[in-house]
Amino acid sequence: MPGSVFTFYSYKGGVGRSFTLANIAVLLARWGHRVLCLDWDLEAPGLGDYFRPQLPGRPRGGVVDLVADFRAGRFAPGAHVMRLRGARALAFIAAGSEGPGYVGQVQAIDWDDLYDEGFGEYLEKCREQWTAEYDFVLIDSRTGISDIGSICTAHLPDHLVLLFTANRQSIRGALDLAGRADKARNLLPFDRSRLTVLPILSRFDNREEYGRSEEWRRIVVGETAELYRTWLDQGVAPETMSRHLTLPYVSYWSFGEQLPVLSEKTPSADQIGFALETVAAVIACRLDRTDLLAENRDAYVAAVRASRQEFKHELRVSIPRSSVGPAAELIAELQKLDVRVVKSLSGDRTLLSRAEDDARHLCLVVDGKVSRWQAAEVELFLHRTLGQDRRVIPVLTSGTEAAGLPGYVGNLRYLRLGARGPAEVARDLVGQLRGFTPLLEALDVAEVLHQARDARLRPSRWDLVDELLAGLRAAIGAGDDARANDLAADLAVATRARPPNGDVRDAAPQPTRHAIEWLLRLLETRAKTTTQHRKDLE
């Protein structure tokens, strides 16, 4: 999928536009996205000051040099890119060189003439290359209304990030520009979707004069409500989203060019890094899934943060104290299959203090019941998993009844330790982890057949078992898993152990045992075929 272009614009200066862009760029890159930042505020460039410590040197060219390249017949938009040290996914194109000739370069540009000469098509090709190489292209546009502003707000972006402060001049100026950009976009000879606008209330101080701040928040929502219509989930009120898209005023960060997201790695709700993370998450989602943000901000941000995370471990195995031995055998078998696995014992409180998980999936070994600690572990895992391909896979010990487990575990497809040893369960776990669909139905049927083979029943009940086995043989032979499940459920009820009441109970007759053994061999053959198919696909 091609990358997306976001232009950051403010009608007035002093709203923290470059500050916001730089911090969000760092967050997106930290979360695994490839990010390119362009300083298109040619008359007052300053974005590079935020990246100064990470730049490999002083810029020798930049945006203004695209004009020189165009006039010289050169197409090399990547020639002006600077890679930031310590941030391999973050790149920067400055406004231009910092030498004495820069001002003259800017003043010599006539944008109308350039577009008449075909610079628009040239810039469109640059845009195509940037969006092919980067997930996000962030443009820092100059303030006010200008030819440069039209390039940044109408021609280049997919989305417009509109920053303003709580005063009518700032709000209305920004809204007027958004309207102009939308109209100008309709006249472009390039294929563009409708411009979506993300309104950001910046430098908002609600710590004092709370009543006045809430009054101004209502004014802001009223003035900007129409901007949400094209992208906000219908079930979410603009007032709710406006609170998520508010950057607080923190005087400490108003001095110099600073990046609080570098020092606030796990910010609390009263820190500016918290609000910046929220805005960055909305941008990372390309203004989508706002219903999830309204429902649970922390889970939304955590899901985005981990969406491209490289997990240290493929699987975490949660072990109750009562099943340390069997779980250790399972882990050993998983390691033989080259699964990056880590164990967690109930009560491991280090899990709670981590900002992120270090394992993609969670295997929950359940012995009789889900412990209170395991319930908390699952809740924490799901809280960090919103919208991601991460799974909880229960493994039940022998005797653990799935029907008696809480729904968030009992309703999941599970594997069972018992008649099937750790090696077999490990193979099927790998099947789930690697994207194969294991024969879970066959596994359950096998467990029921083992139960039937070892049962002691009244002679008349063995007649019922023989009928069920005959039907089960036909269903398995035909590949009718739904019918096999139904028959296996009836067989489980028919052969379940019951307290003695004086009746004569016999072990399985020899023909019945032969039928059970035949079915077990059939299931084993199917399981081996599936395992070989997985290996062939790998």
Side-chain angles (χ1 to χ4, degrees):
M1 184 177 75
S4 298
V5 181
F6 285 77
T7 287
F8 286 65
Y9 173 85
S10 62
Y11 177 69
K12 300 283 286 184
V15 303
R17 184 191 67 246
S18 300
F19 167 87
T20 302
L21 187 156
N23 279 277
I24 286 175
V26 171
L27 287 171
L28 292 174
R30 180 187 297 163
W31 296 343
H33 299 285
R34 299 165 299 164
V35 183
L36 173 65
C37 302
L38 292 93
D39 190 348
W40 219 292
D41 189 356
L42 303 186
E43 294 186 356
L47 182 60
D49 291 328
Y50 289 94
F51 300 135
R52 187 76 62 189
Q54 286 80 40
L55 290 177
R58 299 175 73 85
R60 296 183 179 180
V63 171
V64 294
D65 295 280
L66 295 175
V67 175
D69 291 345
F70 166 69
R71 286 177 168 156
R74 294 190 300 268
F75 180 74
H80 310 296
V81 172
M82 304 178 73
R83 301 282 176 180
L84 274 67
R85 292 193 299 263
R88 58 182 175 83
L90 184 54
F92 173 62
I93 297 180
S97 69
E98 297 181 351
Y102 171 76
V103 174
Q105 277 186 283
V106 175
Q107 292 175 340
I109 296 175
D110 186 316
W111 294 102
D112 287 335
D113 286 348
L114 275 173
Y115 266 71
D116 289 340
E117 295 168 15
F119 184 67
E121 288 78 8
Y122 179 86
L123 199 55
E124 186 70 8
K125 292 180 180 178
C126 292
R127 183 188 190 278
E128 290 176 1
Q129 180 162 318
W130 291 331
T131 55
E133 295 181 4
Y134 298 93
D135 302 307
F136 294 96
V137 178
L138 309 184
I139 298 175
D140 193 16
S141 173
R142 65 166 295 184
T143 58
I145 299 172
S146 65
D147 294 333
I148 297 176
S150 295
I151 295 172
C152 296
T153 59
H155 180 176
L156 292 174
D158 298 298
H159 310 279
L160 183 60
V161 181
L162 208 59
L163 288 102
F164 51 86
T165 53
N167 67 73
R168 294 189 187 277
Q169 185 182 42
S170 180
I171 297 169
R172 290 176 179 172
L175 291 174
D176 179 65
L177 182 283
R180 288 171 180 266
D182 204 28
K183 291 178 182 178
R185 193 178 179 85
N186 292 333
L187 301 176
L188 290 173
F190 312 113
D191 184 22
R192 291 284 191 277
S193 59
R194 183 172 181 180
L195 185 67
T196 52
V197 182
L198 187 68
I200 306 292
L201 175 57
S202 183
R203 299 176 65 85
F204 190 67
D205 191 350
N206 62 354
R207 290 171 297 179
E208 298 182 17
E209 299 293 342
Y210 180 78
R212 291 197 66 192
S213 69
E214 287 301 296
E215 177 185 350
W216 267 99
R217 187 182 291 282
R218 286 191 294 272
I219 292 171
V220 166
V221 172
E223 294 280 353
T224 62
E226 184 64 19
L227 300 179
Y228 293 95
R229 186 175 59 82
T230 59
W231 58 271
L232 185 62
D233 186 271
Q234 292 183 352
V236 181
E239 194 275 339
T240 299
M241 191 53 51
S242 176
R243 291 184 181 274
H244 286 301
L245 300 178
T246 296
L247 301 178
Y249 173 71
V250 180
S251 59
Y252 180 83
W253 300 112
S254 65
F255 299 99
E257 291 78 21
Q258 303 179 79
L259 295 172
V261 297
L262 293 179
S263 56
E264 298 176 357
K265 294 294 182 64
T266 55
S268 57
D270 60 342
Q271 293 179 297
I272 194 168
F274 186 89
L276 288 165
E277 278 191 341
T278 307
V279 175
V282 173
I283 289 174
C285 290
R286 295 170 172 83
L287 284 62
D288 195 14
R289 301 313 307 270
T290 50
D291 55 327
L292 301 181
L293 172 58
E295 180 182 320
N296 189 326
R297 179 269 175 199
D298 290 346
Y300 182 83
V301 173
V304 173
R305 184 191 297 126
S307 63
R308 296 200 174 195
Q309 178 183 348
E310 292 295 327
F311 290 94
K312 181 179 179 181
H313 306 289
E314 194 172 0
L315 182 68
R316 176 181 302 281
V317 179
S318 173
I319 308 171
R321 301 285 178 179
S322 58
S323 296
V324 172
E329 294 179 32
L330 176 61
I331 289 173
E333 294 296 334
L334 288 166
Q335 289 171 335
K336 291 178 184 177
L337 297 172
D338 296 324
V339 177
R340 303 190 314 277
V341 61
V342 63
K343 66 179 179 181
S344 69
L345 286 170
S346 292
D348 181 5
R349 299 192 176 276
T350 61
L351 291 174
L352 302 179
S353 60
R354 296 175 189 163
E356 301 173 357
D357 280 329
D358 59 358
R360 181 173 294 278
H361 303 294
L362 174 64
C363 170
L364 204 68
V365 177
V366 181
D367 185 25
K369 64 179 182 179
V370 177
S371 69
R372 292 177 61 186
W373 178 260
Q374 287 183 313
E377 191 171 2
V378 172
E379 181 180 1
L380 182 61
F381 179 88
L382 296 176
H383 175 79
R384 293 167 168 168
T385 301
L386 197 60
Q388 298 172 73
D389 179 22
R390 303 179 66 208
R391 284 165 283 173
V392 177
I393 305 171
V395 172
L396 312 187
T397 61
S398 179
T400 299
E401 293 287 344
L405 300 176
Y408 59 84
V409 174
N411 291 336
L412 299 175
R413 291 192 169 193
Y414 60 86
L415 303 174
R416 186 180 290 279
L417 274 170
R420 296 175 58 80
E424 294 173 281
V425 173
R427 283 198 297 271
D428 289 306
L429 259 174
V430 170
Q432 290 206 35
L433 296 177
R434 304 289 159 81
F436 302 105
T437 303
L439 290 173
L440 294 171
E441 296 86 355
L443 300 183
D444 291 341
V445 172
E447 186 72 18
V448 171
L449 289 170
H450 283 291
Q451 174 182 302
R453 185 185 59 187
D454 299 334
R456 299 188 69 86
L457 305 173
R458 296 193 304 271
S460 60
R461 188 164 290 273
W462 283 116
D463 294 336
L464 172 61
V465 169
D466 288 337
E467 292 179 15
L468 293 171
L469 290 173
L472 196 54
R473 178 172 180 168
I476 293 174
D480 188 347
D481 289 332
R483 176 62 177 160
N485 271 341
D486 291 341
L487 290 166
D490 292 340
L491 183 62
V493 173
T495 59
R496 184 172 297 154
R498 292 171 174 80
N501 59 3
D503 293 342
V504 175
R505 301 195 177 190
D506 298 333
Q510 198 65 23
T512 304
R513 290 185 66 85
H514 286 163
I516 292 173
E517 296 292 348
W518 187 91
L519 285 170
L520 286 171
R521 287 195 297 272
L522 175 61
L523 292 176
E524 183 179 0
T525 300
R526 283 184 60 182
K528 287 180 179 178
T529 301
T530 301
T531 300
Q532 185 59 48
H533 179 61
R534 293 171 187 159
K535 291 180 179 178
D536 292 342
L537 289 176
E538 290 175 348

